[in-house]
Amino acid sequence: GEDVEQSLFLSVREGDSSVINCTYTDSSSTYLYWYKQEPGAGLQLLTYIFSNMDMKQDQRLTVLLNKKDKHLSLRIADTQTGDSAIYFCAENGGYQKVTFGIGTKLQVIP
Amino acid sequence: DAGVTQSPTHLIKTRGQQVTLRCSPKSGHDTVSWYQQALGQGPQFIFQYYEEEERQRGNFPDRFSGHQFPNYSSELNVNALLLGDSALYLCASRSVGISGSSYNEQFFGPGTRLTVL
């Protein structure tokens, strides 16, 4: 079945770059996503990448996809305190069912 | 546009009771999915409704059931509540689109926090 794994915690200093990594198992995934969840809030889609792409850049966000290794990463440039949140890697496993990882808690130190 | 709305915001029930959670999709959306997010975990897919039918289901027991109404809103029902059902329940909506297969972003609601005592 589908499985998504990611590290639990990342701490960075304000202004540095953050890199959150994720591995997934479903080779048939069409889209891979990064969601952000702030305390007490729902999920916000940050960005997504289609499975035939290697990289996608959107302002401060860069997504890298290594389909051979089933590895996805999210780089946040110039990380700000407002970026502190839990970041979920997710894949779609057919008919828009989305499988999420456990989430990486990003702590930004001023 | 109010986006995806869910009610109630918080709910406290006791073991064995039944609960109904409600979701109104974003305007223009016709597909609703429900997810369970336990504390410290990622959301787990429960099921998806489209055209008033359950289209796909995750690994959840029959105690979890749902319904979609003609206006595309949806309910999640959980019977015989267990302590382990305590979680944040998220609703997400999207539009299938004309092709039925094109990418359409899923928008999530703020969730209903269910506590079972």
Side-chain angles (χ1 to χ4, degrees):
Chain A
E2 308 95 351
D3 191 24
V4 177
E5 293 188 356
Q6 52 185 129
S7 53
L8 293 178
F9 188 76
L10 177 66
S11 180
V12 300
R13 293 207 173 274
E14 189 174 19
D16 289 349
S17 292
S18 307
V19 180
I20 304 172
N21 294 299
C22 162
T23 58
Y24 61 97
T25 58
D26 189 352
S27 57
S28 67
S29 295
T30 306
Y31 292 97
L32 296 127
Y33 311 91
W34 284 103
Y35 283 87
K36 177 182 180 181
Q37 187 174 39
E38 296 180 88
L43 292 166
Q44 174 195 354
L45 179 66
L46 282 178
T47 186
Y48 68 93
I49 188 167
F50 190 53
S51 59
N52 69 353
M53 296 168 66
D54 298 324
M55 185 184 85
K56 180 178 181 180
Q57 188 152 2
D58 184 2
Q59 299 182 341
R60 291 191 299 122
L61 305 178
T62 303
V63 178
L64 295 177
L65 174 61
N66 181 329
K67 197 171 180 181
K68 173 177 170 290
D69 294 337
K70 298 190 183 68
H71 182 266
L72 184 73
S73 68
L74 173 69
R75 178 177 181 269
I76 305 173
D78 188 24
T79 311
Q80 302 297 307
T81 54
D83 294 324
S84 293
I86 298 176
Y87 290 81
F88 292 95
C89 173
E91 62 172 357
N92 79 319
Y95 212 86
Q96 291 296 319
K97 168 190 171 182
V98 180
T99 301
F100 289 83
I102 197 170
T104 299
K105 184 174 183 178
L106 175 64
Q107 179 188 50
V108 182
I109 303 167
Chain B
D1 182 7
V4 180
T5 59
Q6 294 185 242
S7 63
T9 307
H10 295 87
L11 203 50
I12 299 175
K13 292 285 189 178
T14 56
R15 281 178 296 176
Q17 286 189 310
Q18 179 265 342
V19 68
T20 298
L21 310 181
R22 296 177 176 81
C23 171
S24 291
K26 184 177 168 65
S27 178
H29 286 186
D30 54 14
T31 302
V32 173
S33 299
W34 286 92
Y35 291 81
Q36 180 197 65
Q37 186 179 17
L39 196 63
Q41 302 294 316
Q44 299 290 315
F45 175 78
I46 302 176
F47 42 53
Q48 181 185 82
Y49 277 84
Y50 171 64
E51 292 186 335
E52 301 179 48
E53 290 188 11
E54 184 183 294
R55 297 291 176 167
Q56 196 174 16
R57 189 179 182 92
N59 189 25
F60 279 81
D62 292 345
R63 296 187 298 109
F64 289 77
S65 63
H67 188 78
Q68 186 179 35
F69 299 94
N71 67 353
Y72 307 118
S73 67
S74 176
E75 288 182 350
L76 165 65
N77 301 293
V78 187
N79 295 322
L81 284 167
L82 303 173
L83 296 179
D85 295 332
S86 295
L88 178 68
Y89 288 85
L90 295 163
C91 169
S93 74
R94 59 181 284 271
S95 174
V96 169
I98 296 172
S99 70
S101 61
S102 60
Y103 172 79
N104 286 290
E105 178 182 345
Q106 248 187 157
F107 287 83
F108 281 83
T112 293
R113 174 74 62 187
L114 172 65
T115 302
V116 182
L117 302 176

